[in-house]
Amino acid sequence: MLGALRALALAASILLASTAHAEEEPPVFAGHPAITRHTKELGLEVTPMRLDSGWAIGGGAAVSAFYSRWLSPVAGANLSPGWAGKRAHWDTRAGTRLVYPSPLFGEVFGYVILGTSVLFTAVDGQDDTFTRAFMLMGGIGLFGNVADHVRLRFELRDHVRIYGTSDTKHMPTASLAFVLTYR
């Protein structure tokens, strides 16, 4: 019992020390400290989307980094198992967020995302057989810090097929992400 209390006290002191230290960290580059002090992101996403076969819900992860107060490359992947939609599919994406460098209100920032994605859709009745599509992606989003190293991000994107064998030609997607930020 005493060992558990010591471990809890040590964890609390480390957390307090790291929070106090984080307040003293200078911005990496000029701009609003909400996006210039912790410039790297790791996000866990929930993504409802509409494929040509019907609605599906997926989940995944995304990483990004700010290289200036307005530019942030991003990459991510989502998986929707067969039980979460009409059929299984997964997608990967890479793009760039162009961020409005000042908050729209409070500490909420807006952005436009542009990029490409690849969609893999399971063929009905055939195990381990997927059709593929190369897609252009565009959208808008908002993010805001809810704690020192935590932000929430909401994004609306559209993926449009330009090449491939998938029957999905158009995939509107919403994304809600829980994001951890670090230096």
Side-chain angles (χ1 to χ4, degrees), residues 132-146:
R132 294 159 186 83
F134 179 71
M135 305 180 107
L136 291 178
M137 172 191 66
I140 58 173
L142 297 170
F143 66 83
N145 293 349
V146 294

Side-chain angles (χ1 to χ4, degrees), residues 26-161:
V28 176
F29 42 80
H32 194 284
I35 58 176
T36 62
R37 192 163 40 113
H38 302 117
T39 60
K40 294 171 185 64
E41 296 180 334
L42 173 61
L44 298 176
E45 303 176 328
V46 174
T47 54
M49 62 200 76
R50 173 88 167 100
L51 291 99
D52 289 356
S53 63
W55 287 97
I57 295 178
V63 295
S64 60
F66 284 87
Y67 288 104
S68 75
R69 61 189 182 159
W70 58 270
L71 178 66
S72 173
V74 63
N78 287 299
L79 169 67
S80 178
W83 53 265
K86 297 238 181 209
R87 52 190 176 171
H89 76 277
W90 60 280
D91 66 85
T92 61
R93 67 186 184 283
T96 300
R97 287 187 294 185
L98 303 173
V99 180
Y100 188 72
S102 298
L104 300 175
F105 53 90
E107 294 221 357
V108 176
F109 294 83
Y111 63 90
V112 173
I113 186 166
L114 303 166
T116 59
S117 66
V118 177
L119 172 69
F120 297 86
T121 307
V123 176
D124 288 333
Q126 297 182 25
D127 292 339
D128 300 325
T129 303
F130 288 84
T131 59
R132 294 159 186 83
F134 179 71
M135 305 180 107
L136 291 178
M137 172 191 66
I140 58 173
L142 297 170
F143 66 83
N145 293 349
V146 294
D148 195 36
H149 289 278
V150 180
R151 75 177 41 137
L152 292 177
R153 184 175 66 229
F154 179 71
E155 193 169 274
L156 296 172
R157 322 185 273 277
D158 196 5
H159 303 248
V160 178
R161 184 182 81 189

